[in-house]
Amino acid sequence: MAEKTYKIAWLPGDGIGVDVLDATKIVLDKLQLNAEYLHGDIGWEFWQKEGDAFPARTIELLKNVDAAMFGAITSKPVKAAEQELVPELQGKGLIYRSPIVRMRQMFDLYICLRPCKAYAGNLLNYKDDVDIVVFRENTEDLYSGVEFNPVPQELAEMLTRLSKPFAAFKDVPLNELAISSKIVTRQGSERIIRAAFEFARKNNRKKVTVVHKANVVRATEGMFLDIAKEIHQEYPEIEMDDANVDAICMWLLKNPKNYDVIVATNMFGDIISDLVAQMVGGLGFGCSGNIGLKLGVFEPSHGSAPKYAGQYKVNPIATVLSAKMMLDWLGETEKGARLEKAVAEVIKEGKIRTYDMGGSNTTLELGEAIAAKL
Ligand code: NAI
Ligand code: MG
């Protein structure tokens, strides 16, 4: 039977997203993945040109591919975004929304999977042997987009009726009041928590740590923790513990070996994953997959780092390791394993290093060095 030709959407975005995807292409070409790479427009440039950072043609493209590689996009604070497009949009509410957040919600990419492994010989490792996998819920929580500034009169009236603590804000002018909703569902919580336990079971991981703030944010975080305790019953062979998000920032640095798989709601998972990425060398090593039932979109955890854009200076390893995650997700595990081995070798040798690794090689030179090991 002829080998399958994968259709891969190729979404560099802007800033260093372009640089790191260029390096990743060198590696995938060397691996001879049988794939057609289809460019998609996304990011700030298209917001400015077309008023849409995630154009309909890119959405269509994503409906017709096996997987996608994404670089990064610049998401500016909404007020600045409105101003730069057309001054008339000012005061019209919160119009600009990050396209990657929209993509995760639109395609129901509910798992944000972020493995952080300390590769041997990486001088940037915080401590050796860190091997933590973060499961971040990817579609709900503070990213729901249900936000108000100014707050509509009807909403303020309703909150005054329904919520005692809201009385504290009753004299604040509505245009000086802002509300961002933290929306969490049972279904959304169950599926991310179950994904974390399933991963632990399949990969012989010993423990799942639930990160939350259940003591203060009782409705959403409290429900998330309760659901985790229920689901844990289905996985008796795996240990479960839990920690407040603030405390775990301290515990992770103090005793990183105590952590194995971590699961959290969207915002806390976002924050924790940058912290854990720094423990294994920084954002230049933080790989990530946005995974749903039908589509996987793989990207580095980092953003567009505008100050380094177009300089081919930043580290492509986070993106190359995200491509490895894509290969595994596609079932190309042999190629995935080869790619990870090549990355590990280049790190261990320490000859080709980008600026963050203490070297002066370019993004593309590091990509070529990895390709040369394949
Ligand atoms: P960032 O992740 O872009 O960069 C923070 C810093 O980390 C950089 O200045 C650089 O020192 C370092 N860094 C990042 N990637 C690196 C790499 N590959 N190699 C070496 N060093 C690296 O975060 P920042 O500055 O907060 O955000 C910049 C823009 O990116 C914003 O507009 C933000 O909204 C957007 N962003 C986009 C994301 C996405 O596309 N998924 C995710 C996070 C931020
Ligand atoms: Mg982030």
Side-chain angles (χ1 to χ4, degrees):
M1 204 169 73
E3 205 187 331
K4 177 179 165 106
T5 302
Y6 295 105
K7 281 189 173 175
I8 313 278
W10 198 253
L11 316 173
D14 53 52
I16 60 164
V18 177
D19 309 26
V20 292
L21 274 203
D22 280 352
T24 304
K25 188 70 179 13
I26 295 172
V27 173
L28 287 174
D29 285 347
K30 184 69 190 294
L31 262 181
Q32 294 187 312
L33 179 69
N34 198 356
E36 195 185 343
Y37 298 95
L38 303 158
H39 176 92
D41 293 335
I42 192 165
W44 192 248
E45 188 189 338
F46 302 96
W47 166 252
Q48 286 179 306
K49 280 196 206 147
E50 308 173 18
D52 192 353
F54 189 25
R57 59 186 175 280
T58 308
I59 295 170
E60 278 311 302
L61 170 68
L62 285 170
K63 286 180 188 164
N64 295 298
V65 292
D66 297 296
M69 282 299 302
F70 172 66
I73 38 95
T74 305
S75 285
K76 301 195 185 184
V78 70
K79 292 275 157 25
E82 289 171 20
Q83 212 154 353
E84 272 186 50
L85 184 68
V86 258
E88 298 85 75
L89 286 179
Q90 282 180 55
K92 289 263 168 77
L94 308 177
I95 294 168
Y96 178 86
R97 287 191 69 213
S98 161
I100 182 70
V101 173
R102 283 171 61 199
M103 186 194 301
R104 288 166 178 160
Q105 291 170 347
M106 194 179 285
F107 289 90
D108 210 17
L109 307 173
Y110 65 95
I111 300 170
C112 187
L113 175 57
R114 293 180 159 172
C116 295
K117 196 191 279 187
Y119 286 97
N122 186 350
L123 300 176
L124 299 171
N125 284 340
Y126 171 69
K127 282 187 184 163
D128 289 337
D129 300 339
V130 171
D131 185 0
I132 296 173
V133 180
V134 178
F135 278 76
R136 164 190 176 192
E137 199 290 322
N138 218 15
T139 58
E140 311 190 328
D141 194 17
L142 276 166
Y143 297 73
S144 64
V146 183
E147 302 193 274
F148 304 94
N149 174 246
V151 171
Q153 181 81 39
E154 309 93 281
L155 181 58
E157 282 167 11
M158 193 186 79
L159 289 171
T160 307
R161 248 192 358 262
L162 297 181
S163 160
K164 263 198 190 143
F166 194 74
F169 308 104
K170 72 178 188 325
D171 297 327
V172 180
L174 293 179
N175 61 348
E176 292 179 18
L177 195 58
I179 295 180
S180 298
S181 319
K182 182 171 167 76
I183 299 181
V184 171
T185 67
R186 168 166 277 273
Q187 188 227 12
S189 305
E190 276 180 2
R191 61 187 185 171
I192 189 69
I193 293 164
R194 190 163 275 116
F197 276 105
E198 279 297 316
F199 176 90
R201 179 172 275 170
K202 279 200 190 101
N203 294 280
N204 287 320
R205 297 278 186 154
K206 294 196 168 43
K207 186 163 87 172
V208 173
T209 301
V210 184
V211 174
H212 61 83
K213 189 75 181 177
N215 51 342
V216 178
V217 193
R218 294 160 303 168
T220 47
E221 294 291 322
M223 181 174 77
F224 190 78
L225 179 58
D226 286 345
I227 292 171
K229 286 177 182 164
E230 278 170 38
I231 291 180
H232 180 219
Q233 305 300 313
E234 297 169 31
Y235 300 87
E237 79 280 18
I238 296 160
E239 192 190 332
M240 181 188 120
D241 67 0
D242 68 277
N244 278 312
V245 63
D246 44 353
I248 204 171
C249 290
M250 176 273 292
W251 288 119
L252 271 168
L253 295 186
K254 194 162 186 287
N255 297 322
K257 283 210 177 100
N258 285 356
Y259 298 97
D260 191 344
V261 177
I262 288 177
V263 64
T265 48
N266 202 339
M267 175 68 88
F268 294 160
D270 190 5
I271 296 168
I272 292 288
S273 48
D274 276 25
L275 174 62
V276 180
Q278 189 59 46
M279 291 166 71
V280 299
L283 286 177
F285 295 85
C287 54
S288 166
N290 304 284
I291 298 169
L293 295 177
K294 290 195 193 124
L295 182 67
V297 178
F298 298 84
E299 57 160 337
S301 300
H302 61 73
S304 63
K307 68 180 172 189
Y308 297 118
Q311 296 176 31
Y312 288 92
K313 205 180 152 172
V314 296
N315 191 343
I317 288 179
T319 318
V320 171
L321 288 174
S322 304
K324 178 247 184 248
M325 292 174 71
M326 177 180 77
L327 292 168
D328 289 346
W329 187 75
L330 288 170
E332 295 285 344
T333 47
E334 183 270 330
K335 286 190 168 66
R338 263 168 63 207
L339 181 48
E340 185 179 22
K341 188 163 168 275
V343 171
E345 276 173 32
V346 168
I347 292 173
K348 195 165 194 181
E349 279 179 13
K351 283 194 214 138
I352 307 291
R353 290 171 298 156
T354 44
Y355 86 93
D356 57 312
M357 300 167 81
S360 57
N361 290 103
T362 66
T363 309
L364 299 183
E365 281 165 352
L366 189 42
E368 277 153 12
I370 296 166
K373 300 280 184 199
L374 288 166

